[in-house]
Amino acid sequence: MKRPESPERMHALGATVTPQGVHFALAAPHAQGVELCLFDSAGLACTARHALAVDAQGLWRGFVPGLAVGAVYGYRVQGPWNPAEGQRFNPAKLLLDPYARAVMGCYDGDDIHNGHRADDPSQPDPRDNAATALKARVLADPPPLNAPRPQVNPARRVLYELHLKAFTALHPGVPEALRGTYAGLAHPVAIAHLKRLGITTVCLMPLAQRADEPRLLQLGLSNHWGYNTIGWAAPETRYASAPERARDECRDLVDALHAAGLEVVLDVVFNHSAESDEAGPTLSLRGIDNALYYQLQPNDRSRYVNWAGCGNVLNLNQPLVLRLVMDSLRRWVTDFGIDGFRFDLAPILARGEPPHTGFQPRAPFLMALAQDPLLCERLMIAEPWDIGHGGYQLGAFPAGWLEWNDRYRDTQRGAWLRQSGTPGALAHTLAGSSAVFGSRPAHSSVNVLTAHDGFTLMDLVSYVHRHNEANGEHNRDGHSHNLSVNHGVEGPSDDPAVVAARLRQRRALLAVLLLSLGTPMLLAGDEMGHSQQGNNNAYCQDNPSTWLHWDTADQDLADFVAHLIGWRQSLTPLLAHWWHSGPAASRAGAIAQWFQTSGNPLGPGEWEQPHAAPLVLRLSGPGMACLLLLNPSNQPHRVVLPPGPWQRQLCSHSGHTEPMPLTATAELPAGCVWLAVQPGGHFQELS
């Protein structure tokens, strides 16, 4: 082993290719020794072992001359076995480089990968697991990406959350060999659907290499959603035509989406790892330096802090752990062209160490992102809650961040499905949730009605109760508070009245979502009637229950969504920073005026009525005006319109998108949304 001559190579972690060979570096400051183990191309036989040298920072380094791209490797790390002090070193276990850019193998759940003995967890397991352990492959830096990065106006952004495999697994227009893969989503027919809808930004559920939980493997299931990361900079091999093609095919996917003008946001999981709690496997970080990488319980360091509900949490207060996260994010940007990130359980990333474990608005992670010249211009989206004490942090993230807004979700669901809440609460969320995001633009609110976690839109109007029995947890998992309805029939129905009522409610909810101020997010499949049979936590269902069924897709509903997005992009008040009340002469930007059905302005008493009531919203901007008529109640209402003329463009009750002139009064059906505009206004007419 020799050190590389190039000084800049000495600062890189992971495996770095040089013309003379490969430089390796691993962060393990509490270790007493590190061996680099090289394997044959199949990853089965160890061909060489090299002892690494440690520097003052606890970084173990070495250089293998003549080694080339494609080399397969792992680490053995020596140190104390003392779980009570958080030390779980076990050199019998081959460990995956956390900086791996390509992963070989798939964790099978065998207890040979546990660092502890099954019969006595206080003792290390002596069995060598190298034959089936996860390993890394050496990769060089890829060539530059081909397609330029799209530039999307933040006010015009429309997010679309999708699972890469589920989106095309059953798509008849995608060649069978490509379905459910990187190449499948890159196929022109898949991208054409996104463009038809008017989506600007694709939010991909996790693509980093994952390891499935042993419990799921024993049940014949897998972590389909991918929120169980073990290789933070390595694309998941299961979505590639061959494992060694994962990086190239993932890059090609992002290139194809960029070429179509679509932004790409990647869901990333830095709050926990796939190693789970103290009973979990030793695959990487646990065996490299457990006390460095994880938050341990201060009164029992053999156990883990569990703000994620997944057994452990990473400790981003440690500079070397923060470096792993930052380097991984930069890798997704430089190697793959990712335009932004959605951070799962984001408050965990900004929590302190015991005893000060609360959310910190100026946490090291948030400060590091803000100053990073590569990352600071990328889109950052927070899931602003975790399950720890003080974990609900909606509105607490820095300027420039977007945040999933569950208050929007619950207010809209309550109003439209349960006829609950107040007109004031409904109007507040329609208008961008200024009480939460008032110091930032309204587009900081990611308005969600459904997401991967929870009911689909179809199931939201078809089930009162969750039906998660297939997950193997006796229907105890998933949300129990869904604010859902079923119209008298739990699940599928062939009653025409039930089918029609469910469709009307879905159109109304989609209209509200796409005509609200803020950044709307659609869940893939909601625009065409996708159901998961009432499973609201389908994280482990990699099967037709989660795959989109294109053969039965409701194309009329998809067309309705496309019209909604088209009008959203055409009406400047819907793209405003904020809506303002009061005379137009004294306000800048969009003017919002709220009326009762009588035509009178809403007064203080009407805002707080404890029931769903119709609202008439007149929005005006330079040279144009539009009306939103909203009736979340279960009764039709006669509505006096503000002075016109007005032309209705969308009706959620009927699904009609043909222009229709309105008179001074109109009969607004129950549970309905209308959009009307003034003929001749300064907006781009839809074809």
Side-chain angles (χ1 to χ4, degrees):
M1 293 289 288
K2 298 192 301 184
R3 295 185 183 274
E5 297 176 1
S6 174
E8 62 268 19
R9 300 293 182 181
M10 291 300 295
H11 296 288
L13 291 172
T16 305
V17 178
T18 75
Q20 297 79 30
V22 180
H23 170 246
F24 294 89
L26 182 72
H30 298 113
Q32 295 174 345
V34 173
E35 273 191 319
L36 168 72
C37 300
L38 300 177
F39 288 80
D40 62 15
S41 60
L44 297 176
C46 183
T47 58
R49 290 191 180 193
H50 301 279
L52 304 188
V54 67
D55 65 16
Q57 300 178 63
L59 305 181
W60 297 79
R61 300 184 180 279
F63 183 69
V64 182
L67 199 65
V69 167
V72 179
Y73 72 97
Y75 291 109
R76 296 185 189 272
V77 181
Q78 293 89 29
W81 175 267
N82 187 357
E85 294 301 321
Q87 297 170 323
R88 293 180 176 270
F89 297 102
N90 185 344
K93 306 304 172 182
L94 190 80
L95 305 171
L96 179 67
D97 184 355
Y99 276 76
R101 299 170 74 173
V103 176
M104 174 179 285
C106 186
Y107 171 62
D108 59 6
D110 194 311
D111 68 4
I112 196 174
H113 301 295
N114 292 349
H116 58 275
R117 282 172 45 180
D119 61 338
D120 185 359
S122 68
Q123 298 301 314
D125 185 297
R127 294 174 294 171
D128 191 315
N129 72 333
T132 56
L134 298 175
K135 303 172 185 73
R137 281 195 307 112
V138 173
L139 294 182
D141 291 340
L145 293 157
N146 296 319
R149 179 186 173 197
Q151 300 299 314
V152 176
N153 182 333
R156 294 183 176 274
R157 188 173 278 125
V158 178
L159 307 177
Y160 186 87
E161 186 189 35
L162 67 83
H163 187 282
L164 182 141
K165 181 175 182 179
F167 192 73
T168 65
L170 298 174
H171 200 307
V174 175
E176 188 171 356
L178 302 183
R179 293 175 192 169
T181 68
Y182 297 114
L185 182 55
H187 193 276
V189 299
I191 293 176
H193 179 75
L194 304 173
K195 298 295 290 182
R196 166 198 177 190
L197 293 177
I199 301 302
T200 69
T201 307
V202 178
C203 296
L204 297 171
M205 291 173 65
L207 297 184
Q209 190 78 29
R210 74 176 196 263
D212 300 320
E213 296 90 325
R215 183 190 73 83
L216 295 180
L217 293 171
Q218 291 169 7
L219 294 172
L221 301 172
S222 66
N223 193 306
H224 173 55
W225 284 352
Y227 292 92
N228 216 40
T229 306
I230 197 61
W232 284 271
E236 173 60 65
T237 57
R238 283 175 262 204
Y239 302 142
S241 60
E244 63 273 13
R245 292 283 303 156
R247 184 176 72 173
D248 290 342
E249 292 177 7
C250 185
R251 280 167 51 87
D252 291 345
L253 165 61
V254 178
D255 254 350
L257 292 170
H258 281 174
L262 296 165
E263 281 186 314
V264 182
V265 169
L266 180 63
D267 202 332
V268 287
V269 185
F270 294 111
N271 54 73
H272 75 281
S273 85
E275 291 182 307
S276 188
D277 61 14
E278 56 275 6
T282 294
L283 305 176
S284 182
L285 302 181
R286 175 172 286 140
I288 293 170
D289 198 331
N290 185 66
L292 171 76
Y293 288 100
Y294 292 117
Q295 288 258 30
L296 305 179
Q297 293 191 13
N299 58 343
D300 183 357
R301 291 176 62 79
S302 69
R303 303 184 66 189
Y304 297 83
V305 173
N306 192 21
W307 299 316
C310 300
N312 64 61
V313 297
L314 301 189
N315 188 357
L316 273 66
N317 298 284
Q318 292 289 338
L320 290 173
V321 184
L322 177 60
R323 181 175 175 179
L324 168 64
V325 172
M326 297 297 292
D327 287 351
S328 298
L329 292 173
R330 283 189 286 265
R331 184 65 66 195
W332 284 105
V333 171
T334 57
D335 283 12
F336 301 93
I338 295 298
D339 302 298
F341 300 94
R342 180 264 187 190
F343 293 94
D344 184 61
L345 302 180
I348 290 175
L349 311 181
R351 283 183 177 270
E353 292 184 284
H356 306 293
T357 59
F359 178 82
Q360 300 176 354
R362 298 175 67 84
F365 171 66
L366 298 178
M367 299 293 282
L369 279 180
Q371 62 77 45
D372 188 281
L374 179 65
L375 298 174
C376 67
E377 296 300 322
R378 302 286 157 159
L379 180 61
M380 302 293 168
I381 304 175
E383 182 184 35
W385 48 78
D386 63 39
I387 68 169
H389 178 72
Y392 188 77
Q393 293 295 329
L394 180 67
F397 282 79
W401 280 66
L402 278 61
E403 301 179 39
W404 279 23
N405 188 346
D406 64 325
R407 292 182 191 172
Y408 177 94
R409 177 197 67 199
D410 291 350
T411 299
Q412 298 296 338
R413 287 186 182 187
W416 294 94
L417 302 182
R418 299 290 185 92
Q419 290 72 52
S420 63
T422 66
L426 178 62
H428 178 257
T429 52
L430 283 166
S433 302
S434 60
V436 178
F437 299 104
S439 63
R440 295 146 61 184
H443 65 252
S444 304
S445 172
V446 176
N447 296 334
V448 295
L449 284 171
T450 57
H452 67 271
D453 191 3
F455 279 142
T456 68
L457 185 61
M458 173 63 92
D459 290 351
L460 189 65
V461 299
S462 304
Y463 295 89
V464 171
H465 306 289
R466 65 193 177 199
H467 295 268
N468 300 354
E469 291 82 2
N471 297 350
E473 299 181 52
H474 307 289
N475 205 34
R476 294 193 296 260
D477 60 307
H479 296 299
S480 59
H481 180 67
N482 296 291
L483 296 171
S484 58
V485 295
N486 66 10
H487 296 274
V489 180
E490 186 76 353
S493 173
D494 55 8
D495 183 331
V498 172
V499 172
R502 290 174 175 175
L503 179 57
R504 287 194 298 268
Q505 282 194 322
R506 284 184 285 138
R507 283 196 299 250
L509 288 168
L510 288 165
V512 168
L513 174 67
L514 291 165
L515 300 176
S516 294
L517 196 59
T519 301
M521 188 184 85
L522 283 167
L523 173 64
D526 279 355
E527 77 279 11
M528 53 188 184
H530 175 60
S531 170
Q532 293 178 168
Q533 294 79 52
N535 192 328
N536 74 351
N537 188 36
Y539 75 102
C540 56
Q541 300 300 321
D542 185 5
N543 53 55
S545 68
T546 58
W547 302 345
L548 301 192
H549 291 259
W550 296 87
D551 56 338
T552 59
D554 187 337
Q555 300 297 346
D556 290 338
L557 184 60
D559 286 340
F560 184 74
V561 169
H563 274 86
L564 282 165
I565 294 176
W567 278 109
R568 176 185 181 84
Q569 305 290 31
S570 301
L571 299 171
T572 55
L574 300 180
L575 309 175
H577 266 42
W578 290 106
W579 296 338
H580 301 284
S581 299
S586 64
R587 297 282 186 173
I591 311 303
Q593 297 169 287
W594 300 87
F595 301 94
Q596 305 175 57
T597 56
S598 64
N600 297 320
L602 276 164
E606 287 80 23
W607 285 115
E608 298 306 320
Q609 290 295 319
H611 56 78
L615 292 173
V616 177
L617 170 60
R618 184 184 190 274
L619 293 169
S620 57
M624 68 160 302
C626 63
L627 281 184
L628 285 177
L629 290 85
L630 307 112
N631 181 14
S633 76
N634 53 18
Q635 297 295 325
H637 283 265
R638 194 76 176 167
V639 178
V640 177
L641 303 184
W646 298 104
Q647 190 174 69
R648 193 188 75 185
Q649 299 292 342
L650 288 163
C651 171
S652 70
H653 187 269
S654 64
H656 290 162
T657 57
E658 302 83 7
M660 187 185 84
L662 297 176
T663 60
T665 62
E667 184 78 11
L668 189 60
C672 181
V673 179
W674 283 4
L675 169 67
V677 301
Q678 287 184 335
H682 293 170
F683 51 84
Q684 183 175 348
E685 293 280 3
L686 299 181
S687 58

